[in-house]
Amino acid sequence: MKRRDWLRLLVPGALAGALPAAAADEVVRRFGRASVRADVSRARPGGVLVVRVSGLRRGAASAILDGRRAPFHGGRALVPVPADTLPGTHKLGVEVRARSGMQRVALSVTIAAGSPAGAARLLSPEVAARIADEGSVRDGRRLLAAVRESAPKAAQVLPLLAPVAAPVALGFGAALAYVDQPAIGPRFDGHYGEVHRGIDYDVAPGSVVRAPGAGVVTLAGELSLPGLTAVIDHGQGLVSVLCHLARLDVRAGETLAAAAVVGVSGESGIAGTPHLHWGVYLHGIAVDPVVVLTAL
Ligand SMILES: [Zn+2]
């Protein structure tokens, strides 16, 4: 037996005590000299759980919330909390690599209730006709495929930057209805549910729209409901979607630096009024862009 193991037997908790104590917004699970820590300060629908492991020789593979998997990159996993997550206790599983194979460590996390604010939008008959058009279903699936496409090894730099300098006019998670129109959820981005999956900035048409972070353009073109749209892959599962543009200055395949000009804002698709919609997807799940405007 090694000297350190003797010490642990003689002085219970001596080594565990050397680990930093759990902060108020943290859930910690210790096993031997290793620990899993989940930052739960953003544990709400649209939020992100930040999971870190330490003391593991082989590291961790993924964190799993309600059956959805988020991979670890450099000792950290960013776990999206879907917009439709019910408040209450949820199980967060962490797959750690042990000598005997993969082992799962379970933590309990409490997800807070989401923001119930709502908004209703009135569309002109020409714009509303896009909803009924079958092309909107195909375009919703196309956007879904694009938000799920992310290079796992590409460096991801947080925080992201706001694409325009303006206050947020409609936040993430707001119940969004179109007056006298059917539900649009899956036709917009392939996801179900009538909640706002992004944030809106009320900016004048022609306002310059910038890349929220460095990345590769994976889609640039016209989609039925989102209108003229750019999708930027920031790497490691993080993707930005910029919708309702009036002009696109980038092409699919192009590599962008953070704050590079993507185009100018407008009211294409089902915008209804001039505004920029910025959606952020983490491992294919829509999260509140405000969350990634801070370092995680
Ligand atoms: Zn929007």
Side-chain angles (χ1 to χ4, degrees), residues 7-19 30 32:
L7 180 68
R8 186 154 41 168
L9 285 178
L10 291 167
V11 190
L15 286 164
L19 292 163
R30 295 194 172 104

Side-chain angles (χ1 to χ4, degrees), residues 224-277:
S224 186
L225 306 192
L228 213 48
T229 295
V231 179
I232 304 166
D233 173 20
H234 303 298
Q236 295 175 8
L238 190 70
V239 171
S240 273
V241 178
L242 299 159
C243 304
H244 311 311
L245 303 183
R247 196 187 75 216
L248 266 177
D249 295 335
V250 296
R251 271 188 258 173
E254 209 173 307
T255 299
L256 304 179
V261 175
V262 172
V264 299
S265 69
E267 53 181 312
S268 59
I270 55 156
T273 55
H275 73 267
L276 174 71
H277 172 98

Side-chain angles (χ1 to χ4, degrees), residues 1-275:
M1 192 181 277
K2 284 180 193 163
R3 190 169 173 268
R4 218 190 300 191
D5 295 323
W6 275 112
L7 180 68
R8 186 154 41 168
L9 285 178
L10 291 167
V11 190
L15 286 164
L19 292 163
D25 284 336
E26 210 173 36
V27 175
V28 182
R29 176 81 194 270
R30 295 194 172 104
F31 44 104
R33 288 154 59 200
S35 67
V36 173
R37 316 175 80 85
D39 175 347
V40 292
S41 59
R42 304 164 195 87
R44 57 182 167 84
V48 173
L49 309 178
V50 185
V51 186
R52 288 186 169 86
V53 291
S54 59
L56 287 170
R57 188 172 293 178
R58 295 171 180 84
S62 56
I64 301 132
L65 178 68
D66 294 339
R68 288 199 189 82
R69 210 168 269 272
F72 273 82
H73 294 286
R76 182 189 72 170
L78 299 180
V79 182
V81 183
D84 59 358
T85 305
L86 295 173
T89 305
H90 290 251
K91 203 170 115 184
L92 176 71
V94 178
E95 280 187 336
V96 301
R97 295 190 181 94
R99 193 180 298 173
S100 53
M102 208 69 89
Q103 282 186 8
R104 196 176 283 203
V105 177
L107 292 87
S108 267
V109 296
T110 303
I111 306 292
S115 55
R121 283 186 179 150
L122 187 64
L123 301 176
S124 69
E126 310 87 77
V127 171
R130 288 172 174 259
I131 297 174
D133 189 88
E134 275 313 298
S136 64
V137 175
R138 180 201 61 216
D139 283 0
R141 288 195 193 120
R142 207 178 143 205
L143 186 53
L144 181 64
V147 301
R148 285 175 171 169
E149 182 187 335
S150 180
K153 284 190 178 148
Q156 171 206 99
V157 181
L158 289 175
L160 296 184
L161 316 162
V164 289
V168 174
L170 184 65
F172 181 94
L176 189 54
Y178 291 86
V179 178
D180 295 332
Q181 300 300 328
I184 63 136
R187 291 169 185 253
F188 190 87
D189 63 355
H191 283 263
Y192 287 84
E194 299 305 301
V195 298
H196 193 220
R197 287 187 280 276
I199 55 179
D200 287 353
Y201 299 97
D202 285 346
V203 285
S207 300
V208 171
V209 175
R210 297 181 181 278
V216 176
V217 179
T218 51
L219 187 156
E222 174 85 28
L223 298 172
S224 186
L225 306 192
L228 213 48
T229 295
V231 179
I232 304 166
D233 173 20
H234 303 298
Q236 295 175 8
L238 190 70
V239 171
S240 273
V241 178
L242 299 159
C243 304
H244 311 311
L245 303 183
R247 196 187 75 216
L248 266 177
D249 295 335
V250 296
R251 271 188 258 173
E254 209 173 307
T255 299
L256 304 179
V261 175
V262 172
V264 299
S265 69
E267 53 181 312
S268 59
I270 55 156
T273 55
H275 73 267

